[in-house]
Amino acid sequence: MGSQQWQWEESQWKSNNDQIVYHCRVRTNRDDLPWQATRIYDIPSDGHQALVRKTGLSPYRIYDWARVTEHRENNGYQDIYVSIERIWFNRSEWEWKKDSQYSNRKKQGYRSRFSDELTGSLLQKLRGNYLRLADLSTIAKENLAVAVDLPQHEIDAWCQIEKVERKPDHFIIHVSILNAWLKAPRRDDWEWVAESSPTGDNSLKYYTCKGRAVSSQLMIALNSPRSSRKQVSADGWRKLAEKTGLDVNEAERWGQDFSYTASPDGLKVRVGVPNVWICADLLQGGNLWNRGVVNWGGTFGQAISYLGTWGKKEIHCWDIKDLIDTLTPVLTNF
């Protein structure tokens, strides 16, 4: 059968919302052997080439896209019907838009029409809804990164696919990104702000800030069993020391109860610092302690405790032994 006989036309009465059916009528020559097309492989190469020209689809993937739905002989002619899913024909750019379906206080949803070139394996993943971000093309991730204003090379760490929705002529990809990543600083932010104690114990005073710029390395560290104080930069400790009046060189000792937590407003760094005021009444007995300077110092210390200990944990010492017992563990730690 010559190639001039392969004239494929869309069959309106057999096409539907999901399928486009193409029909071709070819004459059965007297010398032709009887044949039956039940698969695309059975159609001669001339028929393949004519179908590719008609549909504009890739000749390398025609076996993934098309299937023979009917082949019958009729008065010296053979009628062949081939169906192709409409999904194969509809292509659009990766244009990501906000998706209210998967948006809430903790995360922000985005959606886009799937526009990559489909293969048989990729179609299987789309239909089974187990598509992964790694399966998306570079252009898809680049456009998503632009839409959410995040670095493209980190998109795999921040984003997850929520759902793949099938339409008659296209797929829709739904993804979500945690607000903690979207609102985290693009640069380090060590502006510490005082915060109330999460446990109600005022022996530590807590300070929080957004801290380090978000990255996949930080995400790995957050998922580790213990978050390290080293995740706070030298500049971060310096600013905290300035705010609290403590020695930055001793930050590794006085910086306690360190934690990184994800919140709707970004990544929060929390550090507890000592918040204890020792009130020692040294006016009781003892020759040395009855001297004027010592008496003045003791009285002065008590006066300050009355004026400046609000919000601090107070420990009272009524004699030298109590004071030494109180200071010993503190000095030992240092």
Side-chain angles (χ1 to χ4, degrees), residues 1 5 12 29 53 59 62 76 94 126 132 149 155 172 235 244 274 292:
M1 289 177 286
Q5 295 191 49
Q12 299 294 336
N29 294 329
R53 289 193 298 270
I62 195 68
W94 283 101
L126 286 165
R132 297 293 177 263
D149 190 25
I155 206 70
I172 296 178
D235 186 52
T244 59

PDB file of all heavy atoms in Angstrom, residues 1 5 12 29 53 59 62 76 94 126 132 149 155 172 235 244 274 292:
ATOM      1  N   MET A   1       0.846  -1.193   0.000  1.00  0.00           N
ATOM      2  CA  MET A   1       0.000   0.000   0.000  1.00  0.00           C
ATOM      3  C   MET A   1       0.879   1.240   0.000  1.00  0.00           C
ATOM      4  O   MET A   1       1.766   1.383   0.832  1.00  0.00           O
ATOM      5  CB  MET A   1      -0.912   0.007   1.232  1.00  0.00           C
ATOM      6  CG  MET A   1      -2.011  -1.046   1.151  1.00  0.00           C
ATOM      7  SD  MET A   1      -3.017  -1.097   2.639  1.00  0.00           S
ATOM      8  CE  MET A   1      -1.889  -1.899   3.766  1.00  0.00           C
ATOM      9  N   GLN A   5      -2.031   6.541   0.175  1.00  0.00           N
ATOM     10  CA  GLN A   5      -3.317   6.035   0.645  1.00  0.00           C
ATOM     11  C   GLN A   5      -3.567   6.377   2.119  1.00  0.00           C
ATOM     12  O   GLN A   5      -4.714   6.347   2.563  1.00  0.00           O
ATOM     13  CB  GLN A   5      -3.387   4.518   0.472  1.00  0.00           C
ATOM     14  CG  GLN A   5      -3.343   4.067  -0.987  1.00  0.00           C
ATOM     15  CD  GLN A   5      -3.695   2.607  -1.099  1.00  0.00           C
ATOM     16  OE1 GLN A   5      -4.690   2.164  -0.532  1.00  0.00           O
ATOM     17  NE2 GLN A   5      -2.882   1.865  -1.823  1.00  0.00           N
ATOM     18  N   GLN A  12     -15.090  12.455  14.171  1.00  0.00           N
ATOM     19  CA  GLN A  12     -15.872  13.180  15.162  1.00  0.00           C
ATOM     20  C   GLN A  12     -16.794  12.268  15.957  1.00  0.00           C
ATOM     21  O   GLN A  12     -16.978  12.454  17.163  1.00  0.00           O
ATOM     22  CB  GLN A  12     -16.692  14.276  14.456  1.00  0.00           C
ATOM     23  CG  GLN A  12     -15.854  15.317  13.735  1.00  0.00           C
ATOM     24  CD  GLN A  12     -15.019  16.150  14.685  1.00  0.00           C
ATOM     25  OE1 GLN A  12     -15.349  16.283  15.865  1.00  0.00           O
ATOM     26  NE2 GLN A  12     -13.917  16.697  14.189  1.00  0.00           N
ATOM     27  N   ASN A  29      -5.155  -3.816  -1.992  1.00  0.00           N
ATOM     28  CA  ASN A  29      -4.704  -4.235  -3.314  1.00  0.00           C
ATOM     29  C   ASN A  29      -4.840  -5.741  -3.479  1.00  0.00           C
ATOM     30  O   ASN A  29      -4.800  -6.499  -2.506  1.00  0.00           O
ATOM     31  CB  ASN A  29      -3.248  -3.817  -3.535  1.00  0.00           C
ATOM     32  CG  ASN A  29      -3.111  -2.292  -3.589  1.00  0.00           C
ATOM     33  OD1 ASN A  29      -4.032  -1.598  -4.025  1.00  0.00           O
ATOM     34  ND2 ASN A  29      -1.968  -1.804  -3.125  1.00  0.00           N
ATOM     35  N   ARG A  53       2.723  13.045  10.916  1.00  0.00           N
ATOM     36  CA  ARG A  53       2.537  14.320  10.226  1.00  0.00           C
ATOM     37  C   ARG A  53       1.182  14.938  10.564  1.00  0.00           C
ATOM     38  O   ARG A  53       1.068  16.154  10.742  1.00  0.00           O
ATOM     39  CB  ARG A  53       2.669  14.122   8.716  1.00  0.00           C
ATOM     40  CG  ARG A  53       4.091  13.840   8.238  1.00  0.00           C
ATOM     41  CD  ARG A  53       4.190  13.972   6.734  1.00  0.00           C
ATOM     42  NE  ARG A  53       3.347  13.003   6.051  1.00  0.00           N
ATOM     43  CZ  ARG A  53       3.733  11.797   5.679  1.00  0.00           C
ATOM     44  NH1 ARG A  53       4.984  11.398   5.948  1.00  0.00           N
ATOM     45  NH2 ARG A  53       2.910  10.980   5.046  1.00  0.00           N
ATOM     46  N   PRO A  59       7.663  10.983  16.508  1.00  0.00           N
ATOM     47  CA  PRO A  59       7.646   9.612  15.977  1.00  0.00           C
ATOM     48  C   PRO A  59       8.278   8.604  16.921  1.00  0.00           C
ATOM     49  O   PRO A  59       8.027   7.404  16.810  1.00  0.00           O
ATOM     50  CB  PRO A  59       8.445   9.726  14.671  1.00  0.00           C
ATOM     51  CG  PRO A  59       9.319  10.916  14.867  1.00  0.00           C
ATOM     52  CD  PRO A  59       8.528  11.870  15.708  1.00  0.00           C
ATOM     53  N   ILE A  62       5.360   7.421  19.448  1.00  0.00           N
ATOM     54  CA  ILE A  62       4.036   7.113  18.899  1.00  0.00           C
ATOM     55  C   ILE A  62       3.457   5.851  19.522  1.00  0.00           C
ATOM     56  O   ILE A  62       2.243   5.702  19.672  1.00  0.00           O
ATOM     57  CB  ILE A  62       4.109   6.964  17.358  1.00  0.00           C
ATOM     58  CG1 ILE A  62       2.700   7.023  16.738  1.00  0.00           C
ATOM     59  CG2 ILE A  62       4.833   5.687  16.968  1.00  0.00           C
ATOM     60  CD1 ILE A  62       2.056   8.370  16.839  1.00  0.00           C
ATOM     61  N   GLY A  76     -13.377  -4.008  -0.168  1.00  0.00           N
ATOM     62  CA  GLY A  76     -12.094  -3.695  -0.794  1.00  0.00           C
ATOM     63  C   GLY A  76     -11.314  -2.602  -0.094  1.00  0.00           C
ATOM     64  O   GLY A  76     -10.223  -2.235  -0.561  1.00  0.00           O
ATOM     65  N   TRP A  94       5.078  26.343  32.140  1.00  0.00           N
ATOM     66  CA  TRP A  94       4.937  26.124  33.571  1.00  0.00           C
ATOM     67  C   TRP A  94       4.644  27.463  34.240  1.00  0.00           C
ATOM     68  O   TRP A  94       5.536  28.184  34.649  1.00  0.00           O
ATOM     69  CB  TRP A  94       6.214  25.515  34.144  1.00  0.00           C
ATOM     70  CG  TRP A  94       6.378  24.059  33.859  1.00  0.00           C
ATOM     71  CD1 TRP A  94       7.164  23.493  32.906  1.00  0.00           C
ATOM     72  CD2 TRP A  94       5.738  22.978  34.536  1.00  0.00           C
ATOM     73  NE1 TRP A  94       7.061  22.133  32.947  1.00  0.00           N
ATOM     74  CE2 TRP A  94       6.189  21.785  33.939  1.00  0.00           C
ATOM     75  CE3 TRP A  94       4.824  22.896  35.582  1.00  0.00           C
ATOM     76  CZ2 TRP A  94       5.774  20.530  34.353  1.00  0.00           C
ATOM     77  CZ3 TRP A  94       4.402  21.654  35.998  1.00  0.00           C
ATOM     78  CH2 TRP A  94       4.861  20.492  35.400  1.00  0.00           C
ATOM     79  N   LEU A 126       2.000   9.876  36.644  1.00  0.00           N
ATOM     80  CA  LEU A 126       0.952  10.880  36.748  1.00  0.00           C
ATOM     81  C   LEU A 126      -0.385  10.249  37.088  1.00  0.00           C
ATOM     82  O   LEU A 126      -1.119  10.726  37.953  1.00  0.00           O
ATOM     83  CB  LEU A 126       0.849  11.648  35.424  1.00  0.00           C
ATOM     84  CG  LEU A 126       1.970  12.651  35.137  1.00  0.00           C
ATOM     85  CD1 LEU A 126       1.961  13.057  33.680  1.00  0.00           C
ATOM     86  CD2 LEU A 126       1.824  13.873  36.020  1.00  0.00           C
ATOM     87  N   ARG A 132       7.153  12.590  41.583  1.00  0.00           N
ATOM     88  CA  ARG A 132       8.041  13.235  42.540  1.00  0.00           C
ATOM     89  C   ARG A 132       8.645  14.493  41.911  1.00  0.00           C
ATOM     90  O   ARG A 132       8.677  14.631  40.689  1.00  0.00           O
ATOM     91  CB  ARG A 132       9.166  12.276  42.965  1.00  0.00           C
ATOM     92  CG  ARG A 132       8.664  11.042  43.689  1.00  0.00           C
ATOM     93  CD  ARG A 132       8.067  11.388  45.036  1.00  0.00           C
ATOM     94  NE  ARG A 132       7.521  10.219  45.719  1.00  0.00           N
ATOM     95  CZ  ARG A 132       6.259   9.866  45.697  1.00  0.00           C
ATOM     96  NH1 ARG A 132       5.386  10.601  45.014  1.00  0.00           N
ATOM     97  NH2 ARG A 132       5.835   8.804  46.344  1.00  0.00           N
ATOM     98  N   ASP A 149       9.880  33.018  45.022  1.00  0.00           N
ATOM     99  CA  ASP A 149      11.046  33.805  45.407  1.00  0.00           C
ATOM    100  C   ASP A 149      11.983  33.013  46.317  1.00  0.00           C
ATOM    101  O   ASP A 149      12.386  33.465  47.393  1.00  0.00           O
ATOM    102  CB  ASP A 149      10.616  35.096  46.107  1.00  0.00           C
ATOM    103  CG  ASP A 149      11.794  36.056  46.316  1.00  0.00           C
ATOM    104  OD1 ASP A 149      12.760  35.961  45.550  1.00  0.00           O
ATOM    105  OD2 ASP A 149      11.734  36.878  47.254  1.00  0.00           O
ATOM    106  N   ILE A 155      14.915  23.951  45.704  1.00  0.00           N
ATOM    107  CA  ILE A 155      13.474  23.735  45.624  1.00  0.00           C
ATOM    108  C   ILE A 155      13.084  22.323  46.042  1.00  0.00           C
ATOM    109  O   ILE A 155      12.016  22.093  46.613  1.00  0.00           O
ATOM    110  CB  ILE A 155      12.958  24.046  44.202  1.00  0.00           C
ATOM    111  CG1 ILE A 155      11.466  24.446  44.234  1.00  0.00           C
ATOM    112  CG2 ILE A 155      13.192  22.909  43.252  1.00  0.00           C
ATOM    113  CD1 ILE A 155      11.207  25.770  44.864  1.00  0.00           C
ATOM    114  N   ILE A 172      -2.956  18.667  36.121  1.00  0.00           N
ATOM    115  CA  ILE A 172      -2.661  19.791  37.004  1.00  0.00           C
ATOM    116  C   ILE A 172      -1.829  19.265  38.173  1.00  0.00           C
ATOM    117  O   ILE A 172      -2.198  18.288  38.821  1.00  0.00           O
ATOM    118  CB  ILE A 172      -3.934  20.463  37.531  1.00  0.00           C
ATOM    119  CG1 ILE A 172      -4.725  21.073  36.373  1.00  0.00           C
ATOM    120  CG2 ILE A 172      -3.587  21.549  38.550  1.00  0.00           C
ATOM    121  CD1 ILE A 172      -6.021  21.725  36.803  1.00  0.00           C
ATOM    122  N   ASP A 235      28.546  36.443  64.617  1.00  0.00           N
ATOM    123  CA  ASP A 235      27.832  37.718  64.659  1.00  0.00           C
ATOM    124  C   ASP A 235      26.563  37.595  65.489  1.00  0.00           C
ATOM    125  O   ASP A 235      26.181  38.527  66.202  1.00  0.00           O
ATOM    126  CB  ASP A 235      27.497  38.157  63.232  1.00  0.00           C
ATOM    127  CG  ASP A 235      26.881  39.543  63.185  1.00  0.00           C
ATOM    128  OD1 ASP A 235      27.474  40.477  63.766  1.00  0.00           O
ATOM    129  OD2 ASP A 235      25.806  39.692  62.588  1.00  0.00           O
ATOM    130  N   THR A 244      22.418  41.353  76.152  1.00  0.00           N
ATOM    131  CA  THR A 244      22.275  40.821  77.511  1.00  0.00           C
ATOM    132  C   THR A 244      23.350  41.328  78.467  1.00  0.00           C
ATOM    133  O   THR A 244      23.237  41.143  79.677  1.00  0.00           O
ATOM    134  CB  THR A 244      22.322  39.287  77.487  1.00  0.00           C
ATOM    135  OG1 THR A 244      23.573  38.861  76.931  1.00  0.00           O
ATOM    136  CG2 THR A 244      21.177  38.727  76.652  1.00  0.00           C
ATOM    137  N   PRO A 274      21.362  32.991  81.444  1.00  0.00           N
ATOM    138  CA  PRO A 274      21.131  33.052  82.897  1.00  0.00           C
ATOM    139  C   PRO A 274      20.360  34.302  83.290  1.00  0.00           C
ATOM    140  O   PRO A 274      20.598  35.395  82.786  1.00  0.00           O
ATOM    141  CB  PRO A 274      22.550  33.073  83.472  1.00  0.00           C
ATOM    142  CG  PRO A 274      23.389  32.430  82.418  1.00  0.00           C
ATOM    143  CD  PRO A 274      22.783  32.832  81.113  1.00  0.00           C
ATOM    144  N   GLY A 292      32.641  49.172 107.685  1.00  0.00           N
ATOM    145  CA  GLY A 292      31.738  50.084 106.983  1.00  0.00           C
ATOM    146  C   GLY A 292      31.586  49.788 105.507  1.00  0.00           C
ATOM    147  O   GLY A 292      30.488  49.818 104.958  1.00  0.00           O
TER     148      GLY A 292
END
